[in-house]
């Protein structure tokens, strides 16, 4: 962390000034210049608090979360609430969840949570729900309808198979490239709930959905994937403006599918390299409209940093401030109808994907 300088983030033309160098996201819901309805919320994700033994925890992951909480507390103007994007814990142990919640307890203001697979698969979410309540819910805030989904479920028969221990099940899901893992899904029950929930919302209300896994299909081997993504997207299709914010991928991702903008939040724990499907078109669904360039996946803080998300009437501009990387902006292009990486679109300007998978 020593090579971090504190960076000031200034939203041009706006009143928002925040200083930060760690991966939290600040989201502004903008309804018009100086509208009283405008508000911001912060987004922190993927802390992966890891117990070593007893009260010893992996220090790096603790520090990432502690610092994100401290910086969220410094935001000015105050965010209306903070959203936590899942994977508080590494192996879902009560000790890890408790330790993470203790750190998050220092946050000022309300905090909403979504379930991550690392919180879930040891006890199918029992401890998380006991501490935090339901794993899917919705709420309205200043004219915006927010929906929280548990997108990391999988087939009932797999979840309830006879496992020697819950930890065996967790370890199947906590690994990348594991042929014994299973694809994530929202599932029939929650999709019925979502349909009923959205049935009460007018089509011109901005809708923001929080999930842990992307509600789109990016890379199955790493579960950067939700198996019933298309069915969830279909339920969101009738709305004018929909934004899906997710964690899980520990990297920058931006996409637009029809009326839905997708943005990933960076992790406080570590960055994942970009998966190989970014260069393997055959399993690359959907084609990303914004082909983000990458830097060095083996730089421990690459793809962590500060991102500012500005939602104007549902279209999102994202400003990234990354260590050892130029700041850049992904902005919604009215003419093209999707976000454009404004600075890095020229292929010659991009850092090539590294092929070492
Ligand atoms: Fe994660
Ligand atoms: Fe995850």
């Amino acid at each position: 962390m020593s090579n971090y300088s504190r960076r000031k983030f200034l939203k041009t033309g706006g009143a928002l000034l925040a200083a930060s160098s760690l991966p939290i996201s600040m989201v502004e819901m903008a309804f018009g210049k100086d509208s009283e309805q405008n508000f911001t919320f912060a987004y922190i994700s993927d802390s992966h608090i890891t117990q070593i033994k007893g009260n010893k925890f992996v220090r790096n992951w603790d520090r990432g979360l502690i610092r994100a909480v401290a910086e969220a507390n410094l935001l000015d103007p105050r965010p209306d609430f903070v959203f936590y994007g899942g994977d508080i814990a590494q192996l879902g142990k009560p000790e890890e969840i408790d330790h993470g919640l203790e750190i998050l307890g220092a946050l000022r203001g309300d905090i909403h949570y979504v379930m991550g697979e690392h919180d879930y698969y040891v006890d199918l979410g029992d401890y998380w729900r006991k501490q935090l309540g339901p794993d899917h819910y919705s709420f309205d805030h200043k004219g915006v309808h927010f929906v929280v989904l548990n997108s990391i479920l999988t087939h009932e028969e797999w979840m309830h198979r006879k496992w020697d221990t819950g930890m065996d099940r967790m370890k199947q899901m906590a690994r990348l490239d594991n042929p014994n893992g299973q694809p994530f899904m929202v599932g029939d029950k929650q999709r019925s709930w979502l349909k009923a929930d959205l049935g009460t919302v007018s089509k011109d209300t901005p809708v923001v959905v929080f999930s842990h896994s992307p509600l789109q299909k990016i890379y199955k081997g790493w579960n950067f994937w939700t198996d019933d993504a298309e069915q969830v997207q279909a339920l969101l299709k009738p709305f004018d403006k929909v934004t899906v914010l997710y964690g899980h991928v520990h990297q920058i991702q931006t996409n637009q599918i029809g009326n839905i903008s997708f943005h990933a939040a960076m992790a406080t724990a570590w960055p994942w390299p970009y998966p190989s499907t970014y260069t393997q078109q055959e399993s690359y669904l959907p084609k990303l409209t914004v082909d983000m360039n990458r830097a060095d996946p083996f730089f421990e803080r690459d793809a962590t940093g500060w991102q500012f998300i500005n939602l104007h009437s549902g279209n999102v501009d994202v400003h990234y401030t990354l260590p050892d990387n130029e700041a850049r902006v992904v902005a919604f292009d009215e003419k093209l109808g999707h976000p454009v990486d404004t600075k890095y679109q020229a292929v010659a300007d991009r850092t090539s994907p590294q092929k070492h998978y």
Side-chain angles (χ1 to χ4, degrees), residues 46 48 85-87 116-118 152 184 212-213 247-250 272:
D46 288 86
H48 290 265
D87 287 352
E117 83 280 16
H118 286 265
I152 55 78
F184 293 150
H212 181 66
S213 57
H248 183 61
V249 296
H250 299 209
W272 284 124

Side-chain angles (χ1 to χ4, degrees), residues 30-51:
F31 293 87
K33 202 169 178 298
D34 302 325
S35 165
E36 280 186 10
Q37 211 182 351
N38 288 359
F39 65 96
T40 61
F41 61 91
Y43 192 117
I44 299 174
S45 198
D46 288 86
S47 307
H48 290 265
I49 297 299
T50 304
Q51 185 188 35

Side-chain angles (χ1 to χ4, degrees), residues 251-309:
Q251 62 189 222
I252 295 168
Q253 291 179 356
T254 296
N255 197 14
Q256 178 89 27
I257 300 173
N259 60 326
I260 310 175
S261 303
F262 296 84
H263 296 282
M266 292 180 274
T268 64
W270 69 83
W272 284 124
Y274 287 84
S276 49
T277 44
Y278 280 48
T279 55
Q280 291 175 6
Q281 296 287 324
E282 65 277 8
S283 52
Y284 183 22
L285 292 172
K287 187 177 186 314
L288 288 177
T289 47
V290 179
D291 184 13
M292 298 299 296
N293 71 317
R294 64 182 299 184
D296 182 355
F298 295 105
F299 170 54
E300 67 163 325
R301 284 290 158 189
D302 180 43
T304 65
W306 167 246
Q307 101 203 74
F308 177 88
I309 306 178

Side-chain angles (χ1 to χ4, degrees), residues 2 55 74 76 162 195 220-221 310:
S2 57
N55 61 2
L74 291 173
D76 179 21
K162 186 160 170 24
K195 192 175 176 190
K220 200 168 187 176
N310 180 12

Side-chain angles (χ1 to χ4, degrees), residues 9-19 26-28 39-40 75-79 306 308-310:
F9 188 89
L10 176 63
K11 183 182 167 294
T12 329
L16 187 75
L17 176 66
M26 181 73 166
V27 183
E28 180 185 28
F39 65 96
T40 61
L75 290 171
D76 179 21
R78 294 291 314 139
W306 167 246
F308 177 88
I309 306 178
N310 180 12

